[in-house]
Amino acid sequence: MNNITTKSRAAYTLIEMIIAMTVLGLLSGVLVSIISVNFNVMTDVSDRKKLITRGMNAINLFQRELGMLKNTDDIVIADDQQLKFNDTYGNTWEYVITGNQLTRQEVGVGSAQILASPLINADSKFTYYAQDNSYLSSTPLSGGNRGLVTLVKLDLVMDHNGSGIALMAMVYPENFKVFNH
């Protein structure tokens, strides 16, 4: 009789197995939710990094091309949403903030190319400053005011799920010799 009692004590009961499976199921659910949250965070960070990279590429191109400006007479249009100018080589470049995009086009060659998107349009703009760092506020700038421009600032606010990622470029065109006055 002792042998039968010993065997029944060594085995698991059905209730113990159900409790173990329930605990294992709960732990699995918790682990899956933790892994899912981490995956979503990694995806969000990756998307944010892509937006910043696109915006920085647009800003770098803008800085290089505007740096090739010969003099202020080569600024054709200077508005808070548009900048059109002629570079040292006679190319005419047009940067436009429209809708939720920053576009760039070499005038007379092809169509506009999207440099940065999506933008928060209300916060993305061009601003212009004179040599004494005073803000030239009356846009579009008249011919006389375009002649005063020595600094152009581009504010890009990339739209990332409703929150803005602010990027900025300040360009002193090298041919203006701002620091030699």
Side-chain angles (χ1 to χ4, degrees), residues 14 65 112 169:
L14 182 59
E65 288 178 347

Side-chain angles (χ1 to χ4, degrees), residues 102-174:
L102 170 66
T103 61
R104 166 192 172 261
Q105 179 178 5
E106 183 177 359
V107 176
V109 180
S111 60
Q113 124 189 59
I114 298 170
L115 293 182
S117 177
L119 299 177
I120 298 176
N121 188 306
D123 297 330
S124 299
K125 63 185 176 220
F126 298 99
T127 49
Y128 308 94
Y129 297 88
Q131 186 165 358
D132 62 356
N133 288 327
S134 62
Y135 172 59
L136 301 171
S137 60
S138 59
T139 57
L141 297 179
S142 64
N145 281 344
R146 286 194 307 261
L148 299 174
V149 173
T150 57
L151 169 66
V152 179
K153 179 180 164 190
L154 170 60
D155 290 305
L156 283 183
V157 181
M158 306 295 292
D159 185 7
H160 179 66
N161 299 328
S163 68
I165 301 170
L167 304 170
M168 180 186 65
M170 296 181 78
V171 183
Y172 289 97
E174 64 182 52

Side-chain angles (χ1 to χ4, degrees), residues 7-8 11 70 118 142:
K7 282 187 181 179
S8 65
K70 286 189 285 191
S142 64

Side-chain angles (χ1 to χ4, degrees), residues 2-139:
N2 262 347
N3 282 344
I4 295 174
T5 317
T6 307
K7 282 187 181 179
S8 65
R9 285 189 190 155
Y12 293 106
T13 64
L14 182 59
I15 293 176
E16 290 174 329
M17 287 190 67
I18 291 173
I19 291 172
M21 289 173 57
T22 304
V23 169
L24 186 61
L26 290 173
L27 286 175
S28 297
V30 168
L31 287 175
V32 166
S33 70
I34 289 172
I35 290 170
S36 173
V37 167
N38 285 336
F39 182 74
N40 289 342
V41 167
M42 288 187 342
T43 302
D44 188 55
V45 167
S46 176
D47 291 346
R48 192 174 177 91
K49 183 178 176 184
K50 287 176 189 174
L51 274 176
I52 291 171
T53 300
R54 273 186 276 174
M56 290 303 297
N57 287 340
I59 282 175
N60 288 338
L61 186 60
F62 173 75
Q63 288 174 319
R64 279 197 318 263
E65 288 178 347
L66 187 59
M68 298 302 293
L69 194 63
K70 286 189 285 191
N71 58 49
T72 55
D73 295 335
D74 289 326
I75 298 175
V76 180
I77 298 173
D79 195 349
D80 61 342
Q81 298 291 300
Q82 178 182 18
L83 176 61
K84 187 175 183 180
F85 60 92
N86 302 314
D87 69 8
T88 305
Y89 305 106
N91 302 317
T92 302
W93 298 100
E94 182 176 35
Y95 285 83
V96 178
I97 299 170
T98 179
N100 67 346
Q101 302 171 338
L102 170 66
T103 61
R104 166 192 172 261
Q105 179 178 5
E106 183 177 359
V107 176
V109 180
S111 60
Q113 124 189 59
I114 298 170
L115 293 182
S117 177
L119 299 177
I120 298 176
N121 188 306
D123 297 330
S124 299
K125 63 185 176 220
F126 298 99
T127 49
Y128 308 94
Y129 297 88
Q131 186 165 358
D132 62 356
N133 288 327
S134 62
Y135 172 59
L136 301 171
S137 60
S138 59
T139 57

